[in-house]
Short mmCIF file of all heavy atoms in Angstrom, two decimals:
data_model
loop_
_atom_site.label_atom_id
_atom_site.label_comp_id
_atom_site.label_asym_id
_atom_site.label_seq_id
_atom_site.Cartn_x
_atom_site.Cartn_y
_atom_site.Cartn_z
N GLY I 15 21.68 -9.40 -9.70
CA GLY I 15 20.32 -9.83 -9.43
C GLY I 15 20.04 -9.88 -7.93
O GLY I 15 20.85 -10.39 -7.16
N LEU I 16 18.89 -9.37 -7.53
CA LEU I 16 18.51 -9.31 -6.12
C LEU I 16 17.28 -10.16 -5.88
O LEU I 16 16.35 -10.16 -6.69
CB LEU I 16 18.21 -7.87 -5.70
CG LEU I 16 19.30 -6.83 -5.98
CD1 LEU I 16 18.79 -5.44 -5.66
CD2 LEU I 16 20.55 -7.13 -5.18
N THR I 17 17.29 -10.88 -4.79
CA THR I 17 16.13 -11.69 -4.40
C THR I 17 15.77 -11.37 -2.95
O THR I 17 16.65 -11.03 -2.14
CB THR I 17 16.41 -13.20 -4.52
OG1 THR I 17 17.58 -13.53 -3.75
CG2 THR I 17 16.64 -13.58 -5.98
N GLY I 18 14.51 -11.47 -2.64
CA GLY I 18 14.06 -11.19 -1.29
C GLY I 18 12.56 -10.96 -1.24
O GLY I 18 11.85 -11.11 -2.24
N GLN I 19 12.08 -10.58 -0.08
CA GLN I 19 10.65 -10.36 0.13
C GLN I 19 10.43 -9.08 0.91
O GLN I 19 11.34 -8.56 1.56
CB GLN I 19 10.02 -11.53 0.89
CG GLN I 19 9.90 -12.82 0.10
CD GLN I 19 9.15 -13.89 0.87
OE1 GLN I 19 9.12 -13.89 2.09
NE2 GLN I 19 8.52 -14.81 0.15
N ILE I 20 9.20 -8.58 0.84
CA ILE I 20 8.79 -7.44 1.65
C ILE I 20 7.48 -7.79 2.36
O ILE I 20 6.70 -8.60 1.87
CB ILE I 20 8.60 -6.16 0.81
CG1 ILE I 20 7.49 -6.36 -0.23
CG2 ILE I 20 9.89 -5.75 0.14
CD1 ILE I 20 7.11 -5.09 -0.96
N ARG I 21 7.31 -7.21 3.54
CA ARG I 21 6.05 -7.35 4.29
C ARG I 21 5.34 -6.00 4.26
O ARG I 21 5.97 -4.96 4.47
CB ARG I 21 6.31 -7.79 5.72
CG ARG I 21 6.83 -9.19 5.86
CD ARG I 21 6.54 -9.75 7.26
NE ARG I 21 6.94 -8.83 8.31
CZ ARG I 21 8.12 -8.89 8.94
NH1 ARG I 21 8.99 -9.82 8.60
NH2 ARG I 21 8.41 -8.02 9.90
N TYR I 22 4.04 -6.04 4.04
CA TYR I 22 3.29 -4.79 3.92
C TYR I 22 1.88 -4.98 4.49
O TYR I 22 1.41 -6.11 4.69
CB TYR I 22 3.19 -4.37 2.44
CG TYR I 22 2.38 -5.33 1.59
CD1 TYR I 22 1.02 -5.13 1.37
CD2 TYR I 22 2.97 -6.45 1.03
CE1 TYR I 22 0.28 -6.02 0.62
CE2 TYR I 22 2.24 -7.35 0.28
CZ TYR I 22 0.89 -7.13 0.07
OH TYR I 22 0.16 -8.02 -0.67
N ARG I 23 1.23 -3.87 4.77
CA ARG I 23 -0.15 -3.88 5.22
C ARG I 23 -0.77 -2.51 4.91
O ARG I 23 -0.05 -1.52 4.74
CB ARG I 23 -0.25 -4.18 6.72
CG ARG I 23 0.50 -3.19 7.59
CD ARG I 23 0.41 -3.56 9.06
NE ARG I 23 1.25 -2.71 9.87
CZ ARG I 23 0.90 -1.51 10.32
NH1 ARG I 23 -0.32 -1.03 10.02
NH2 ARG I 23 1.70 -0.79 11.07
N VAL I 24 -2.08 -2.47 4.88
CA VAL I 24 -2.79 -1.23 4.62
C VAL I 24 -2.72 -0.35 5.86
O VAL I 24 -2.90 -0.83 6.99
CB VAL I 24 -4.25 -1.50 4.22
CG1 VAL I 24 -5.01 -0.19 4.06
CG2 VAL I 24 -4.30 -2.32 2.94
N ALA I 25 -2.43 0.93 5.67
CA ALA I 25 -2.34 1.87 6.79
C ALA I 25 -3.75 2.34 7.15
O ALA I 25 -4.37 3.10 6.40
CB ALA I 25 -1.45 3.06 6.42
N ASP I 26 -4.27 1.87 8.29
CA ASP I 26 -5.63 2.25 8.68
C ASP I 26 -5.73 3.72 9.08
O ASP I 26 -6.83 4.24 9.28
CB ASP I 26 -6.13 1.36 9.81
CG ASP I 26 -5.18 1.34 11.00
OD1 ASP I 26 -4.14 2.03 10.95
OD2 ASP I 26 -5.48 0.63 12.00
N ARG I 27 -4.58 4.42 9.21
CA ARG I 27 -4.59 5.85 9.53
C ARG I 27 -4.55 6.70 8.28
O ARG I 27 -4.54 7.92 8.38
CB ARG I 27 -3.41 6.18 10.45
CG ARG I 27 -3.50 5.46 11.79
CD ARG I 27 -2.23 5.54 12.58
NE ARG I 27 -1.91 6.91 12.95
CZ ARG I 27 -0.84 7.23 13.69
NH1 ARG I 27 -0.02 6.28 14.11
NH2 ARG I 27 -0.61 8.49 13.99
N ASN I 28 -4.50 6.07 7.12
CA ASN I 28 -4.53 6.82 5.86
C ASN I 28 -5.32 6.04 4.82
O ASN I 28 -4.84 5.77 3.71
CB ASN I 28 -3.11 7.11 5.37
CG ASN I 28 -3.07 8.15 4.27
OD1 ASN I 28 -4.07 8.83 4.00
ND2 ASN I 28 -1.93 8.27 3.61
N LEU I 29 -6.54 5.65 5.17
CA LEU I 29 -7.37 4.88 4.26
C LEU I 29 -7.83 5.69 3.06
O LEU I 29 -8.14 5.13 2.01
CB LEU I 29 -8.59 4.31 5.00
CG LEU I 29 -8.30 3.17 5.99
CD1 LEU I 29 -9.59 2.73 6.66
CD2 LEU I 29 -7.65 2.00 5.27
N TYR I 30 -7.88 7.01 3.20
CA TYR I 30 -8.31 7.83 2.07
C TYR I 30 -7.35 7.67 0.90
O TYR I 30 -7.77 7.53 -0.25
CB TYR I 30 -8.41 9.30 2.49
CG TYR I 30 -9.02 10.18 1.42
CD1 TYR I 30 -10.38 10.45 1.42
CD2 TYR I 30 -8.25 10.72 0.39
CE1 TYR I 30 -10.96 11.24 0.43
CE2 TYR I 30 -8.80 11.52 -0.59
CZ TYR I 30 -10.16 11.77 -0.57
OH TYR I 30 -10.72 12.55 -1.56
N ALA I 31 -6.02 7.70 1.19
CA ALA I 31 -5.04 7.55 0.12
C ALA I 31 -5.17 6.18 -0.54
O ALA I 31 -5.08 6.05 -1.76
CB ALA I 31 -3.63 7.75 0.67
N TYR I 32 -5.39 5.14 0.27
CA TYR I 32 -5.48 3.78 -0.28
C TYR I 32 -6.74 3.58 -1.10
O TYR I 32 -6.70 2.95 -2.18
CB TYR I 32 -5.43 2.77 0.87
CG TYR I 32 -5.47 1.34 0.40
CD1 TYR I 32 -4.32 0.71 -0.06
CD2 TYR I 32 -6.66 0.61 0.41
CE1 TYR I 32 -4.36 -0.61 -0.51
CE2 TYR I 32 -6.70 -0.70 -0.02
CZ TYR I 32 -5.55 -1.31 -0.49
OH TYR I 32 -5.60 -2.60 -0.92
N LEU I 33 -7.86 4.13 -0.66
CA LEU I 33 -9.14 3.88 -1.34
C LEU I 33 -9.43 4.88 -2.45
O LEU I 33 -9.96 4.50 -3.50
CB LEU I 33 -10.28 3.91 -0.31
CG LEU I 33 -10.30 2.77 0.71
CD1 LEU I 33 -11.35 3.03 1.77
CD2 LEU I 33 -10.54 1.43 0.03
N PHE I 34 -9.07 6.14 -2.23
CA PHE I 34 -9.52 7.17 -3.17
C PHE I 34 -8.38 8.02 -3.75
O PHE I 34 -8.55 8.61 -4.81
CB PHE I 34 -10.53 8.11 -2.47
CG PHE I 34 -11.58 7.40 -1.69
CD1 PHE I 34 -11.58 7.45 -0.31
CD2 PHE I 34 -12.57 6.67 -2.33
CE1 PHE I 34 -12.56 6.80 0.42
CE2 PHE I 34 -13.55 6.02 -1.61
CZ PHE I 34 -13.54 6.08 -0.22
N GLY I 35 -7.24 8.09 -3.05
CA GLY I 35 -6.19 9.00 -3.49
C GLY I 35 -5.29 8.45 -4.57
O GLY I 35 -4.78 9.21 -5.40
N VAL I 36 -5.05 7.14 -4.56
CA VAL I 36 -4.12 6.51 -5.50
C VAL I 36 -4.88 5.44 -6.27
O VAL I 36 -5.64 4.65 -5.67
CB VAL I 36 -2.91 5.90 -4.76
CG1 VAL I 36 -1.93 5.30 -5.75
CG2 VAL I 36 -2.21 6.96 -3.91
N ASN I 37 -4.66 5.39 -7.58
CA ASN I 37 -5.39 4.45 -8.43
C ASN I 37 -5.02 3.01 -8.10
O ASN I 37 -5.90 2.15 -7.94
CB ASN I 37 -5.10 4.75 -9.90
CG ASN I 37 -5.93 3.87 -10.83
OD1 ASN I 37 -7.02 3.44 -10.46
ND2 ASN I 37 -5.43 3.63 -12.02
N ASN I 38 -3.71 2.73 -8.00
CA ASN I 38 -3.24 1.39 -7.68
C ASN I 38 -2.14 1.52 -6.63
O ASN I 38 -0.96 1.58 -6.96
CB ASN I 38 -2.71 0.68 -8.94
CG ASN I 38 -2.44 -0.80 -8.69
OD1 ASN I 38 -2.36 -1.25 -7.54
ND2 ASN I 38 -2.30 -1.55 -9.77
N PRO I 39 -2.51 1.62 -5.35
CA PRO I 39 -1.51 1.92 -4.32
C PRO I 39 -0.41 0.88 -4.21
O PRO I 39 0.75 1.23 -3.97
CB PRO I 39 -2.35 1.99 -3.03
CG PRO I 39 -3.67 1.42 -3.36
CD PRO I 39 -3.86 1.51 -4.82
N PHE I 40 -0.72 -0.40 -4.39
CA PHE I 40 0.32 -1.43 -4.25
C PHE I 40 1.36 -1.29 -5.37
O PHE I 40 2.56 -1.44 -5.13
CB PHE I 40 -0.31 -2.82 -4.29
CG PHE I 40 0.69 -3.92 -4.05
CD1 PHE I 40 1.35 -4.03 -2.84
CD2 PHE I 40 0.99 -4.84 -5.05
CE1 PHE I 40 2.27 -5.04 -2.62
CE2 PHE I 40 1.91 -5.85 -4.85
CZ PHE I 40 2.55 -5.95 -3.62
N ALA I 41 0.92 -0.97 -6.59
CA ALA I 41 1.86 -0.77 -7.68
C ALA I 41 2.74 0.45 -7.42
O ALA I 41 3.95 0.44 -7.70
CB ALA I 41 1.11 -0.60 -9.00
N HIS I 42 2.15 1.50 -6.86
CA HIS I 42 2.92 2.70 -6.55
C HIS I 42 3.98 2.41 -5.48
O HIS I 42 5.13 2.84 -5.60
CB HIS I 42 2.00 3.82 -6.08
CG HIS I 42 1.34 4.57 -7.19
ND1 HIS I 42 0.30 4.05 -7.93
CD2 HIS I 42 1.59 5.80 -7.72
CE1 HIS I 42 -0.08 4.93 -8.85
NE2 HIS I 42 0.69 6.00 -8.74
N VAL I 43 3.58 1.70 -4.43
CA VAL I 43 4.53 1.46 -3.34
C VAL I 43 5.63 0.50 -3.78
O VAL I 43 6.79 0.62 -3.36
CB VAL I 43 3.79 0.94 -2.09
CG1 VAL I 43 3.44 -0.53 -2.20
CG2 VAL I 43 4.62 1.19 -0.84
#
């Protein structure tokens, strides 16, 4: 079993992928 955290943020240089390219980007990542 593994425990831990990740830090993430939206890439402002690839907003197209986040808004229109991927249906649920957080689930994909």
Side-chain angles (χ1 to χ4, degrees):
L16 306 173
T17 56
Q19 289 186 334
I20 62 171
R21 292 203 310 265
Y22 65 93
R23 58 182 174 83
V24 176
D26 54 0
R27 297 168 63 178
N28 193 12
L29 288 179
Y30 187 94
Y32 182 81
L33 292 172
F34 314 110
V36 182
N37 185 28
N38 190 344
F40 184 64
H42 278 75
V43 78

